[in-house]
Amino acid sequence: MVTLRDDERLDFLFTDESMQIIQSPTVFSYSIDAVLLANFASIPLKRGKIIDLCTGNGVIPLLISREVDNAVSITGVEIQERLYDMAVRSIEYNNKAGQITMIHGDIIDMPNKFGNRKFDLVTVNPPYFQTSHPNHLNKNDYLTIARHEVMATLDDVIQVASKLVKSGGKVAMVHRPGRLTDILTCMREYKLEPKRMRFVYPKQGKEANILLIEAIRDGKPDLKLLPPLYVFNHDGTYTEELNNGGY
Amino acid sequence: MVTLRDDERLDFLFTDESMQIIQSPTVFSYSIDAVLLANFASIPLKRGKIIDLCTGNGVIPLLISREVDNAVSITGVEIQERLYDMAVRSIEYNNKAGQITMIHGDIIDMPNKFGNRKFDLVTVNPPYFQTSHPNHLNKNDYLTIARHEVMATLDDVIQVASKLVKSGGKVAMVHRPGRLTDILTCMREYKLEPKRMRFVYPKQGKEANILLIEAIRDGKPDLKLLPPLYVFNHDGTYTEELNNGGY
C-alpha cells in the first residue's frame, strides 16, 4: 500500500525490479548519477553508519540498503519537506524503515545534531550548478533547489561531510567534471584526501560528463583513477557495465 | 654528422622516421609521456613563443618543431649539462637550431632571465617523484635528477610556469594521476586555471597511469575531461591513437 500525491508515480529502482520508488516529473526524479554513486562508494557491508546528504527522494539509501546487512544503519537528510515525504513513503513501501532513517532538515545542522566524526561513510549527490544571482532563482521550486547551490554550496557540503565522517572514514560524491578543481581544493582544505576517482563518459569519443570521487578523512595523498565508464554503446543502448550499475 | 658520446645512440622520434634524437640508456631516454604531452598541448602554430621546462634531451621542442611555422620560437631549459649537450647536438643534427634555442640553467632563474608573461605556451614534463629524504639520493645521477624532485619541486615548476606565461596563455603538463590534487590546488594558487585534462590508461580495464593537463593563466574555471587514451590493445600492440601520437 502506498499513497501517491499529484503527479507522483512508482518507478523501479533502475534495473532492479525488486524495489520501487516514488518519483514525480515536476518535483523530483532520481538520475543515473545517484545509481552510479551508490555503486561507486565503498560501502561498509557488515556494520557501520552511513549518512546520505541531499538525499532527495531517498534513492541512494534505498539502493545501498539492498547491499548491506541489518547492522548497517543508513540516514538520509533532505531539506525539502515534499521530497522528504516522498522518501519516507518509499522507505515504508519497501519495508526499509528499520534500516533507513529519514531526517527533514538542513545538512548544515547535522554536525550539531549527530556530533562530529560519527559516520563510516558519507554519500552526497549535491546540487551541481553555481549561481551568481541566487536571489533571481525561484527558491520555492523543487527542481531549482535540487539542482542549484541555493540552500547549500559545494563548500557547505564538503565541510559538513568532513565533520560528520570518522577519521579514516569515507566521503563519496558525484558531481560534474567541470567542478573538479573546486572539489579537490575544497576537500583538501577540510582534510578529506581524494583517493579514488572515476569519470563517466556518455559514449566513446565524448568528453566526460559525470565525476565520481571518494575521499578519506585524514588520508594520505594518493589518488587512483579507475577505468572510465561509458553510459551508452554506439547504437544508443546502455552499456553492459551501466546495466550492472557501474561495475 | 653527429658526435655520439659513451653509450649514446640515435633513435627515431617515436613513429616519425624524419627526425632522430640522441638518447642514452644510462643518461636519458624520452618516454611516451613526452610524446603525449607534445600532442596534447595547444600549440600556437603560426607564431608565438613556446618554452619547455625540464626539457631533458630536447624531445618536446623537437616534436613540437615539426608542427609549427618558422615564426614560432621554441626554447628548452635543462639544468643537467650532459642532457643539455645531448639536446644541442640533436637540434643541430635535425637542422632546427634556427627555431629551437637550448638554455643550460635552472628553471627557477628563467623568470628573471626572460621577464614575466613572455610566453604563449609553457610545456613541462617534470620529475614525478616526491622524496622525503632528498639528501639520501645521489644528486649526481642523471636519472635521479630527471625523475625525482631534487632540483625542482612541483610547486617550483608551477610557480615558474605561471610567471613565464602570458595572461590567457597556456601551461601544459604531463604527470602522474596520483598527484592530481597537488597539481590542481597548486595551479589554482598560482592563477593557472585547469581547463583541459586527459587520462591515459595502459589498457582497457586498468587504472590510469598518466595525466595530461592544460591550464590557462587567469582563465575562468571550467575543466573539460577529454576522452580516455589507451596505450595498448588487449593483444599488447600499440593502439591506433597512440601510434598517431595521442590523436
Side-chain angles (χ1 to χ4, degrees):
Chain A
M1 262 286 288
V2 61
T3 306
L4 295 177
R5 292 173 53 186
D6 307 330
D7 62 355
E8 289 177 356
R9 59 173 196 250
L10 266 180
D11 284 347
F12 287 121
L13 212 48
F14 198 52
T15 55
D16 181 352
E17 303 200 351
S18 72
M19 292 184 97
Q20 287 183 280
I21 186 167
I22 299 169
Q23 311 234 76
S24 151
T26 54
V27 175
F28 189 90
S29 303
Y30 74 84
S31 70
I32 190 72
D33 307 38
V35 178
L36 293 170
L37 179 62
N39 282 280
F40 171 78
S42 298
I43 297 170
L45 299 175
K46 298 291 182 190
R47 59 198 169 121
K49 296 172 72 177
I50 300 170
I51 189 164
D52 183 50
L53 307 177
C54 313
T55 200
N57 64 348
V59 56
I60 289 175
L62 284 168
L63 286 163
I64 289 176
S65 73
R66 302 174 309 170
E67 311 288 335
V68 296
D69 288 353
N70 287 336
V72 177
S73 77
I74 309 171
T75 303
V77 182
E78 175 51 45
I79 196 166
Q80 297 200 63
E81 188 166 13
R82 181 79 166 81
L83 275 64
Y84 159 82
D85 176 63
M86 287 165 77
V88 167
R89 282 179 287 141
S90 286
I91 289 162
E92 283 172 4
Y93 181 72
N94 290 285
N95 298 313
K96 293 288 186 180
Q99 182 161 48
I100 304 173
T101 306
M102 279 296 303
I103 294 172
H104 173 221
D106 191 330
I107 62 167
I108 305 288
D109 300 327
M110 294 306 117
N112 277 341
K113 180 178 176 67
F114 290 102
N116 288 349
R117 309 200 161 209
K118 297 296 182 195
F119 292 90
D120 300 280
L121 172 67
V122 180
T123 54
V124 60
N125 178 4
Y128 289 156
F129 303 109
Q130 284 179 300
T131 169
S132 45
H133 302 291
N135 294 331
H136 295 182
L137 293 172
N138 179 357
K139 292 190 186 177
N140 294 319
D141 183 75
Y142 302 118
L143 297 176
T144 298
I145 293 171
R147 291 175 184 166
H148 293 262
E149 295 186 340
V150 178
M151 296 295 197
T153 65
L154 180 62
D155 191 282
D156 294 333
V157 167
I158 291 176
Q159 186 177 7
V160 166
S162 171
K163 286 180 178 172
L164 291 172
V165 73
K166 293 177 181 173
S167 183
K170 287 164 183 167
V171 175
M173 177 188 282
V174 59
H175 216 289
R176 293 289 173 98
R179 298 293 297 280
L180 179 65
T181 310
D182 295 338
I183 292 166
L184 293 187
T185 53
C186 190
M187 281 185 159
R188 193 165 264 185
E189 185 183 338
Y190 292 114
K191 312 236 181 275
L192 294 173
E193 185 62 32
K195 299 288 274 186
R196 290 167 65 235
M197 200 158 69
R198 191 172 200 191
F199 290 98
V200 183
Y201 298 78
K203 64 168 85 170
Q204 284 189 31
K206 298 288 184 186
E207 292 173 4
N209 59 352
I210 301 173
L211 159 70
L212 298 163
I213 183 166
E214 189 173 80
I216 296 187
R217 182 69 157 93
D218 309 315
K220 287 185 188 164
D222 181 24
L223 179 62
K224 289 199 187 309
L225 250 291
L226 304 192
L229 174 64
Y230 301 101
V231 174
F232 293 108
N233 295 312
H234 281 301
D235 64 5
T237 57
Y238 279 135
T239 59
E240 188 182 336
E241 55 182 353
L242 193 87
N243 274 324
N244 294 334
Y247 280 92
Chain B
M1 263 286 289
V2 63
T3 305
L4 295 176
R5 292 173 54 185
D6 306 331
D7 62 355
E8 289 177 358
R9 58 174 196 251
L10 266 179
D11 285 348
F12 288 121
L13 212 48
F14 197 54
T15 56
D16 181 352
E17 304 200 352
S18 71
M19 292 183 96
Q20 288 183 279
I21 186 166
I22 299 169
Q23 310 233 80
S24 150
T26 53
V27 176
F28 189 89
S29 303
Y30 75 82
S31 70
I32 191 71
D33 307 37
V35 178
L36 293 169
L37 179 61
N39 282 281
F40 171 77
S42 299
I43 297 170
L45 298 175
K46 298 291 182 191
R47 59 197 169 121
K49 297 172 73 178
I50 300 171
I51 189 165
D52 183 50
L53 306 177
C54 315
T55 198
N57 64 350
V59 56
I60 288 174
L62 284 168
L63 286 163
I64 290 176
S65 73
R66 304 174 310 171
E67 311 287 333
V68 297
D69 288 353
N70 287 334
V72 177
S73 77
I74 309 171
T75 303
V77 183
E78 175 53 44
I79 197 167
Q80 297 201 64
E81 187 165 15
R82 181 79 166 80
L83 274 63
Y84 159 81
D85 177 63
M86 287 165 77
V88 167
R89 283 179 287 139
S90 286
I91 289 161
E92 283 173 4
Y93 181 72
N94 289 286
N95 297 311
K96 292 290 186 181
Q99 182 161 45
I100 304 173
T101 306
M102 279 296 303
I103 293 171
H104 173 222
D106 191 331
I107 62 167
I108 305 288
D109 301 326
M110 294 306 115
N112 277 339
K113 180 177 174 68
F114 289 103
N116 288 348
R117 309 202 161 206
K118 296 298 182 194
F119 292 90
D120 301 280
L121 171 66
V122 180
T123 54
V124 59
N125 178 3
Y128 290 157
F129 302 110
Q130 282 179 302
T131 168
S132 45
H133 303 292
N135 294 332
H136 295 182
L137 293 171
N138 179 359
K139 292 189 186 179
N140 296 319
D141 183 76
Y142 302 118
L143 298 176
T144 299
I145 293 171
R147 292 175 184 167
H148 293 262
E149 294 187 341
V150 178
M151 297 296 198
T153 64
L154 179 63
D155 191 281
D156 293 334
V157 166
I158 292 175
Q159 185 178 7
V160 165
S162 170
K163 287 181 178 171
L164 291 172
V165 73
K166 294 176 180 172
S167 183
K170 288 163 183 169
V171 174
M173 178 188 282
V174 59
H175 217 291
R176 295 288 173 97
R179 298 293 297 280
L180 179 64
T181 310
D182 295 337
I183 293 166
L184 293 188
T185 53
C186 190
M187 281 185 159
R188 192 164 265 186
E189 184 183 339
Y190 292 114
K191 312 233 181 277
L192 294 173
E193 185 63 33
K195 299 288 275 187
R196 289 167 65 234
M197 199 158 69
R198 189 172 201 192
F199 290 98
V200 183
Y201 297 79
K203 64 168 83 172
Q204 284 190 31
K206 299 287 183 185
E207 291 173 5
N209 59 353
I210 301 174
L211 159 70
L212 297 163
I213 183 165
E214 190 173 80
I216 296 187
R217 182 69 158 92
D218 310 316
K220 287 185 190 164
D222 181 24
L223 180 60
K224 289 198 186 309
L225 251 290
L226 304 192
L229 174 62
Y230 301 101
V231 174
F232 294 108
N233 295 311
H234 280 302
D235 63 7
T237 57
Y238 279 136
T239 59
E240 188 182 335
E241 56 183 352
L242 193 87
N243 274 323
N244 294 334
Y247 279 94

